Amino acid sequence: MTDQEIKTAYERDGYVVLKDIIDNRDLDPMRNFIKAKVDGYCRKLYSEGKISSLYENESFERRYAVICEALDILPRNWSFGMFGREFYDLYNLPGVLDVVRLLLGPEVSNIGIPALRTKLPGSVITSFSWHQDSQYLDQSTIGKKEKHTGGLHMVTVWVPLVEATVENGCCWVIPGSHRWGLLDGARDADANIRMEEDVEARGTPVAIPLKPGGALFMSNLTVHSSKLNTTRKSRWSIDFRYLPTPDRADLTVEQREAAEFVWNKNRRGEAVPLVVLTDGHKPTWEEWEAEVSAQKARR
Ligand SMILES: O=C(O)CCC(=O)C(=O)O
């Protein structure tokens, strides 16, 4: 696709899918990060007598699933860290940043915290029902409706680390839904957002199966979901987000306030947004790591 075609598709549909935008080898550091954490977890459990095998011969897609099966658990979240050089490099992949520049302009930051997703076989809680990413950003409290980022333009980049298929629970989107505004919905008891309206009555869902090397770019208002993983393997993926750096001169007051809301929210946690596109100074990995360490020490 040409730059113009990418922009036109994204503006029309609220998302664009680009195949082969990432060299599959550039995803190896992320897979190796996961493999090392899963290996460490497995060895710890084994030494504690909680599992009876190290499952060393299992594949990348099976090993974590096998451990969880042995423990009879289906965790919603990856709890082994989402920070490191691998993440810095991922956020700065030139192919990804070219598209981000096209969609968001010249002064852009990554929000500093991704979602590394295990999507385990049969996991209902990670079958995310229809939502907009703004709803997750805005709402921290179960049952409480808050709206802060309706005026924001943030781009989510969803990247499969193994092939994402309809069977293992790839993403689904509703084309054009980014023009519906920020919809009503709240976090349910399981912490997942539930929409109030029947969005399928308003638009036609499209499945986004994707091989490693491809990426789905979508806006914070694009309605999307992912369904049950009905296979025996984990559907590993990572999604990460970019927004206009809040002090950018071309933002409206609403856009700036929304960008600041995300920025400050993340800074209250352990995440430090990372400037990735700028005419000014772009932090090196060492600088970003030092900032994150300082922030952790302050908390
Ligand atoms: O990866 C998934 O299963 C869901 C992804 C998603 O909802 C998101 O990136 O906001």
Side-chain angles (χ1 to χ4, degrees):
M1 285 169 95
T2 64
D3 286 0
Q4 192 50 52
E5 284 167 343
I6 292 171
K7 234 174 146 267
T8 303
Y10 178 86
E11 282 165 8
R12 181 191 58 222
D13 299 330
Y15 72 95
V16 62
V17 180
L18 296 173
K19 295 177 182 152
D20 302 322
I21 192 160
I22 301 172
D23 186 328
N24 193 19
R25 283 166 303 188
D26 287 338
L27 298 175
D28 280 340
M30 195 53 61
R31 295 191 194 99
N32 291 338
F33 173 89
I34 295 169
K35 282 181 196 165
K37 298 287 181 188
V38 169
D39 186 60
Y41 180 49
C42 195
R43 285 178 193 284
K44 181 169 176 291
L45 290 168
Y46 185 74
S47 71
E48 291 167 354
K50 293 187 178 147
I51 52 175
S52 57
S53 166
L54 286 174
Y55 304 113
E56 281 175 295
N57 295 327
E58 296 290 350
S59 65
F60 174 58
E61 287 161 287
R62 265 302 282 163
R63 193 174 184 200
Y64 184 63
V66 172
I67 298 167
C68 292
E69 280 160 22
L71 296 172
D72 198 18
I73 56 169
L74 279 174
R76 178 183 189 271
N77 298 323
W78 168 256
S79 53
F80 305 99
M82 288 189 263
F83 177 73
R85 176 77 206 224
E86 304 83 353
F87 294 81
Y88 177 90
D89 290 340
L90 185 74
Y91 304 155
N92 278 298
L93 282 177
V96 169
L97 288 189
D98 284 347
V99 179
V100 168
R101 185 184 290 104
L102 211 57
L103 306 180
L104 284 176
E107 294 283 330
V108 174
S109 297
N110 180 283
I111 68 169
I113 179 101
L116 183 52
R117 301 191 194 264
T118 60
K119 189 82 156 176
L120 286 159
S123 163
V124 173
I125 202 167
T126 60
S127 312
F128 292 99
S129 58
W130 294 112
H131 65 274
Q132 296 166 309
D133 278 355
S134 262
Q135 295 174 317
Y136 275 96
L137 284 177
D138 290 358
Q139 303 181 28
S140 313
T141 312
I142 287 170
K144 189 170 169 211
K145 282 192 256 176
E146 285 183 66
K147 292 190 178 182
H148 301 278
T149 63
L152 180 70
H153 184 197
M154 182 183 76
V155 172
T156 293
V157 185
W158 191 94
V159 167
L161 298 170
V162 299
E163 183 170 358
T165 62
V166 170
E167 291 72 30
N168 70 11
C170 66
C171 285
W172 288 70
V173 297
I174 301 188
S177 53
H178 63 306
R179 281 187 251 103
W180 299 349
L182 183 47
L183 301 177
D184 284 331
R187 282 191 196 252
D188 218 334
D190 61 1
N192 288 346
I193 295 283
R194 301 283 185 283
M195 288 276 199
E196 282 181 12
E197 75 174 87
D198 176 7
V199 288
E200 291 187 26
R202 201 167 164 186
T204 308
V206 174
I208 313 287
L210 208 49
K211 293 197 168 104
L216 162 66
F217 294 79
M218 62 184 154
S219 99
N220 49 304
L221 294 182
T222 304
V223 175
H224 61 286
S225 68
S226 76
K227 301 193 199 306
L228 195 69
N229 176 358
T230 59
T231 71
R232 295 181 64 245
K233 299 172 178 173
S234 289
R235 192 226 61 196
W236 291 103
S237 63
I238 183 161
D239 40 271
F240 41 101
R241 293 167 176 77
Y242 297 92
L243 79 182
T245 304
D247 60 7
R248 217 166 99 166
D250 62 343
L251 299 186
T252 62
V253 172
E254 194 191 15
Q255 288 167 336
R256 175 166 308 105
E257 282 175 2
E260 275 169 0
F261 172 82
V262 180
W263 194 273
N264 294 335
K265 178 180 175 176
N266 284 2
R267 289 217 67 131
R268 280 195 297 276
E270 286 189 352
V272 174
L274 174 70
V275 175
V276 290
L277 293 173
T278 182
D279 281 342
H281 178 67
K282 188 168 156 161
T284 61
W285 154 244
E286 288 76 15
E287 287 167 339
W288 189 46
E289 186 189 27
E291 239 198 291
V292 171
S293 301
Q295 175 144 325
K296 279 189 188 159
R298 277 196 296 272
R299 288 186 77 232

